[in-house]
Amino acid sequence: MGRQLNLKYKNLLKDLFILLVVLFTNSCWSQDNRSFKIFQFPADKIPMINGDKSDWSIVPDSYSVGMQDLWEDSGKHTAIDSSNLAVHVKVGWVKGMNRLYFLYEAYDDYWDFASPGLHNDTFEVIVDGDQSGGPFIDRFHPNKNIDTLDAFFSFHGVHAQNYHIFTPAKEKDWTMVWGSQPWIKELPYANASYSYDFEPGEKGKLILEFWITPFDYAGNDPSRAVASILEENKNIGLSWAIIDYDNVDKKSNNGFWNLSKEHTMYGNASYALPFKLMPLEKEYQEKLKADWSYKILNMDERKVSFSDGSIGRVNTWKWDFGDGKTSEDKDPVHTYSKGGKYVVILEISGPDGKSRRSKVWDVVLK
């Protein structure tokens, strides 16, 4: 009896130990506190989409996401082997443009892209512009009774998008969009270009440049789409995976390298990681630059609000509204006595000097 009790006790301890390991592992796996950066390109240095990475030479290495940031979550590789696969990704944006730019550089010892279908070395990107999170493909739909095609047209890719990018694409579109909105992969919403010199089955290096437009809502009808608004110092949700086929067979891959710690990130935006839309690097920032915007509050009363958008340390503001009136307020509201086309000027000054911005006939009143 004592021996049996002792055996039961040992089995109980063993089961408890396994349970604690599982709980600890799952807890660590689900808690991912990493964040990454998106480089802001100056307006005069926007990268061309031509497969030439020289435009990206101004992007510091601190913006690069490499193999050391990925998990091979299929269990086929226990360590990084750069002789098998080596990948680096940089992401950029331009203030005032709702585009995300990507530079994808990859070395593979066996490029598999001969098939016209889904079997292809792949860079799979998910983007969630407003970090709304949640599932966005049918297998993760909370209503398990929903018809598959109904989910495809009403649910897939609506609040977050999945780009199944072929690397490289041979005799097919550069990406498969997982959802009913294939229009998002075409101009004026996206563009892509490759550079490589290998054939299927060979080794070599590939460069892929592309940009995409993130959407808060993107359904089957593009006229109803709502593009995400990209703002400086804000985060967006982003993740990607590299699916590496080495033609071992026609079904399985040779590795699934995931930036997220959750394999199912490809269909659930809650597993995307925060990427911060960074301000310009200091070397590209102007110390002082006048800028402003306006909004017509009431056309009948000709009431207009003006907002300072200047860069740098500003001590004084002087507005010339173009009708003989001026103001030294930072964000004045001005009422014009008559309609017309006006030249409005803002002059600013600060420790780093003076600057002026004139806008000709932006402000037009009836």
Side-chain angles (χ1 to χ4, degrees):
M1 178 67 70
R3 183 175 298 176
Q4 290 177 342
L5 288 173
N6 190 39
L7 182 60
K8 288 182 179 180
Y9 179 70
K10 287 183 178 179
N11 288 336
L12 180 62
L13 288 177
K14 181 179 178 181
D15 292 340
L16 180 61
F17 175 77
I18 293 174
L19 177 61
L20 289 174
V21 170
V22 170
L23 290 174
F24 176 77
T25 301
N26 288 340
S27 175
C28 292
W29 194 250
S30 62
Q31 295 178 7
D32 191 342
N33 297 320
R34 294 175 302 155
S35 62
F36 299 91
K37 301 186 299 182
I38 301 178
F39 177 81
Q40 183 179 153
F41 283 96
D44 61 346
K45 298 183 184 298
I46 301 175
M48 293 182 63
I49 305 302
N50 56 6
D52 181 354
K53 69 173 187 176
S54 59
D55 293 340
W56 293 77
S57 61
I58 66 172
V59 183
D61 289 338
S62 60
Y63 287 86
S64 180
V65 181
M67 296 295 293
Q68 72 280 0
D69 300 302
L70 307 181
W71 275 260
E72 204 298 292
D73 60 8
S74 70
K76 297 174 182 175
H77 298 272
T78 58
I80 297 171
D81 181 1
S82 59
S83 65
N84 169 58
L85 180 70
V87 170
H88 294 277
V89 183
K90 291 181 178 179
V91 189
W93 77 296
V94 180
K95 190 174 183 179
M97 299 176 66
N98 294 336
R99 295 179 178 180
L100 295 175
Y101 289 82
F102 289 79
L103 173 65
Y104 177 79
E105 298 180 87
Y107 169 83
D108 196 347
D109 66 343
Y110 188 107
W111 287 101
D112 194 340
F113 59 105
S115 169
L118 200 60
H119 181 100
N120 200 125
D121 285 331
T122 302
F123 178 45
E124 186 169 14
V125 176
I126 67 162
V127 58
D128 181 14
D130 60 0
Q131 293 190 300
S132 57
F136 59 92
I137 66 171
D138 59 354
R139 71 184 64 178
F140 304 116
H141 197 289
N143 182 0
K144 300 305 179 183
N145 296 320
I146 191 172
D147 180 81
T148 301
L149 288 180
D150 284 344
F152 180 84
F153 284 103
S154 65
F155 186 70
H156 280 204
V158 169
H159 69 274
Q161 293 80 50
N162 179 306
Y163 297 81
H164 200 88
I165 303 168
F166 304 116
T167 53
K170 181 180 181 181
E171 300 174 343
K172 56 186 172 185
D173 282 356
W174 69 283
T175 184
M176 183 272 293
V177 172
W178 201 335
S180 64
Q181 54 284 96
W183 52 268
I184 68 174
K185 65 183 175 182
E186 306 286 354
L187 286 169
Y189 309 106
N191 196 18
S193 180
Y194 298 88
S195 176
Y196 64 94
D197 60 359
F198 47 78
E199 296 295 328
E202 296 181 348
K203 63 182 179 180
K205 184 175 180 179
L206 174 140
I207 295 175
L208 166 63
E209 283 186 293
F210 66 95
W211 60 263
I212 56 176
T213 305
F215 290 91
D216 293 344
Y217 176 84
N220 186 44
D221 181 359
S223 68
R224 297 180 57 204
V226 179
S228 304
I229 303 299
L230 304 183
E231 297 180 285
E232 198 170 273
N233 292 315
K234 294 293 182 67
N235 286 331
I236 65 167
L238 196 62
S239 189
W240 55 73
I242 292 90
I243 307 173
D244 183 25
Y245 287 94
D246 280 359
N247 205 30
V248 176
D249 56 54
K250 290 297 182 182
K251 295 181 180 180
S252 63
N253 58 63
N254 187 41
F256 191 99
W257 298 87
N258 203 335
L259 180 61
S260 173
K261 290 185 178 181
E262 296 288 347
H263 178 82
T264 53
M265 64 87 198
Y266 59 84
N268 193 327
S270 296
Y271 300 141
L273 295 169
F275 275 70
K276 187 175 182 179
L277 297 158
M278 298 298 292
L280 289 170
E281 293 287 309
K282 287 185 177 180
E283 61 186 292
Y284 301 111
Q285 294 178 8
E286 296 189 58
K287 289 187 176 181
L288 189 69
K289 182 180 180 181
D291 198 7
W292 56 272
S293 60
Y294 76 99
K295 181 179 181 181
I296 298 176
L297 300 178
N298 189 309
M299 180 62 81
D300 292 335
E301 297 178 3
R302 305 185 189 94
K303 181 181 289 187
V304 184
S305 69
F306 294 89
S307 298
D308 173 54
S310 302
I311 296 173
R313 296 178 292 173
V314 182
N315 291 338
T316 66
W317 297 263
K318 183 178 180 181
W319 294 86
D320 182 341
F321 299 117
D323 63 350
K325 304 293 184 180
T326 62
S327 173
E328 293 184 356
D329 293 338
K330 180 182 178 182
D331 302 307
V333 175
H334 180 63
T335 300
Y336 289 83
S337 61
K338 62 180 180 180
K341 301 174 182 177
Y342 294 96
V343 177
V344 181
I345 304 168
L346 171 62
E347 294 185 17
I348 59 172
S349 65
D352 296 311
K354 297 181 180 181
S355 180
R356 181 173 67 175
R357 172 57 60 90
S358 169
K359 297 188 180 183
V360 179
W361 293 1
D362 275 28
V363 180
V364 180
L365 303 167
K366 294 181 181 179

